[in-house]
Amino acid sequence: MSVTQQQVLDSLAGVRSPRGVALTQANVLSDITVNDGKVFFSINVDAQEARAWESVRAEAESAVRAIPGVTAAMIALTAERKAGSASPPPPPRPAGGVKPASAHRPPQSPAGSPMSRQAEIPGVAAVIAVASGKGGVGKSTTALNLALGLRDLGLKVGLLDADIYGPSVPRLTGIREKPALNDDRKMIPIPRFGLAVMSIGFLVEEDTAMIWRGPMVMSAITQMLRDVAWGTLDVLVVDMPPGTGDAQLTLAQNVPLKGAIIISTPQDLSLIDARRGLAMFKKVNVPVLGIVENMSYFQCPHCGTKSDIFGHGGARHEAERLGVPFLGEIPLHIAIRVSSDAGQPVVVSEPDGPHAAIYRAIGAKVRDQLQGAIAAA
Ligand SMILES: Nc1ncnc2c1ncn2[C@@H]1O[C@H](COP(=O)(O)OP(=O)(O)O)[C@@H](O)[C@H]1O
Ligand SMILES: [Mg+2]
């Protein structure tokens, strides 16, 4: 049975805003996407009223899920800053307000407050972000292989592809299926290579993913964190959308991050972007666990000779200069690209090879910095 937009609208007509107006009359709904039984849209409200709207969001979600044929509903509450507010404006607040990342520590926030429930993901000891100042530097490839490296160290690891602009984890892992829902209507991550994998790309087609813009990006991702049955994890690696704009800043602020890793290539331009990334995480008090230099040097697949075609070492110097850890250098190697594109990341396809060893070494440095969080869980 295919679900229509009209059915969704009909069900939403029965849900009331905090002021008692039917949702369909309240002028708050985004476009509604209905895709293969999966329904996505956002409710855009004034930041001051976001709190009062959270229960409305939940009600709307229940109403949509009750439509026969609906297999999943993701409804994001987005709060828009008022036009003309002083700059820099506060980031939009989702779902009843979220503390800044700095407030997530220590993890023992007062029990029972809605904020504390939102702050931590139950069962997940440490959420870390893999970020880059710009796209195409190998962020996703590194995030996945790093997750596998952490797995090889004996940790339970999840991977969330939060790159709403271009989710690539479905391709990198070869996952084609859609997540099922458990009895609590939470999405069950897809198990692959011993990782719990979730991607916005599982829910929408790659082209459709482009509809997630502006404030929706952040609230969609916070929902991906909360509405997924992650189970017990030592580390959840989040493949962030590239860039250091508002969306990324807000995301960094609203996800309970234990730390961030910045991927850069050695080129100057990419380093400048990496610096912006550092500044961004600093702003929201998320510790930067370190910088990884990807495509650091070219390694000839035939003779193994290394050439520093991009001026290798730039990220190491930059890390030293900025006083953040340098986590390692990954060569530009055809095996890394080919294996990724075939859905068999190099740590899986060549577990005893030199590249897997590099990712594991980076993983070990990351784990050592997270030790406190992982041990406490
Ligand atoms: N170290 C590497 N060696 C060779 N190719 C790489 C390496 N890292 C990434 N790539 C390739 O570069 C492209 C972009 O990588 P990707 O991880 O998708 O970047 P991003 O997530 O930053 O956009 C992909 O084709 C990927 O296979
Ligand atoms: Mg990517």
Side-chain angles (χ1 to χ4, degrees), residues 132-134 137 244 262-279 291-294 310-322 326:
S132 65
K134 61 176 188 181
V137 300
T244 51
I262 295 181
I263 314 297
S264 179
T265 60
Q267 289 99 315
D268 270 348
L269 241 183
S270 174
L271 281 172
I272 289 165
D273 291 322
R275 255 170 259 161
R276 289 207 191 103
L278 276 175
I291 299 181
V292 172
E293 186 168 278
N294 190 38
F310 300 126
H312 151 231
R316 180 190 292 274
H317 292 142
E318 193 58 25
E320 274 165 17
R321 203 176 69 78
L322 295 163
F326 183 70

Side-chain angles (χ1 to χ4, degrees), residues 136-362:
V137 300
K139 179 175 52 61
S140 302
T141 306
T142 310
L144 172 58
N145 281 297
L146 169 67
L148 291 162
L150 290 164
R151 171 207 70 175
D152 287 350
L153 299 170
L155 300 177
K156 286 208 62 161
V157 184
L159 177 67
L160 171 61
D161 176 9
D163 188 349
I164 236 133
Y165 302 119
S168 52
V169 165
R171 178 173 49 85
L172 297 180
T173 54
I175 296 176
R176 302 266 176 276
E177 59 263 45
K178 309 255 171 204
L181 297 181
N182 70 8
D183 291 344
D184 297 334
R185 313 289 283 168
K186 287 196 170 204
M187 289 177 280
I188 303 168
I190 310 267
R192 184 67 109 236
F193 315 130
L195 307 174
V197 183
M198 189 66 209
S199 168
I200 193 82
F202 297 161
L203 304 175
V204 287
E205 302 308 320
E206 283 205 18
D207 307 342
T208 327
M210 297 306 289
I211 64 158
W212 301 99
R213 285 194 186 282
M216 282 186 76
V217 170
M218 188 270 311
S219 66
I221 293 166
T222 30
Q223 289 217 310
M224 296 276 292
L225 284 165
R226 280 181 295 140
D227 291 352
V228 172
W230 287 109
T232 309
L233 295 178
D234 294 308
V235 185
L236 176 59
V237 177
V238 182
D239 181 4
M240 297 268 287
T244 51
D246 270 2
Q248 288 83 0
L249 182 69
T250 310
L251 178 58
Q253 190 162 36
N254 285 286
V255 175
L257 294 174
K258 286 285 187 294
I261 297 165
I262 295 181
I263 314 297
S264 179
T265 60
Q267 289 99 315
D268 270 348
L269 241 183
S270 174
L271 281 172
I272 289 165
D273 291 322
R275 255 170 259 161
R276 289 207 191 103
L278 276 175
M280 177 179 86
F281 286 112
K282 200 165 172 196
K283 216 185 257 178
V284 294
N285 291 319
V286 171
V288 172
L289 304 174
I291 299 181
V292 172
E293 186 168 278
N294 190 38
M295 311 188 192
S296 179
Y297 50 89
F298 174 71
Q299 198 173 7
C300 172
H302 307 295
C303 61
T305 310
K306 296 179 177 181
S307 10
D308 294 347
I309 48 178
F310 300 126
H312 151 231
R316 180 190 292 274
H317 292 142
E318 193 58 25
E320 274 165 17
R321 203 176 69 78
L322 295 163
V324 298
F326 183 70
L327 298 175
E329 297 169 348
I330 302 160
L332 176 70
H333 196 285
I334 185 96
I336 297 178
R337 196 190 63 73
V338 169
S339 56
S340 287
D341 290 349
Q344 290 286 323
V346 75
V347 174
V348 169
S349 60
E350 297 177 25
D352 301 319
H355 308 307
I358 293 172
Y359 287 114
R360 276 194 289 271
I362 294 172

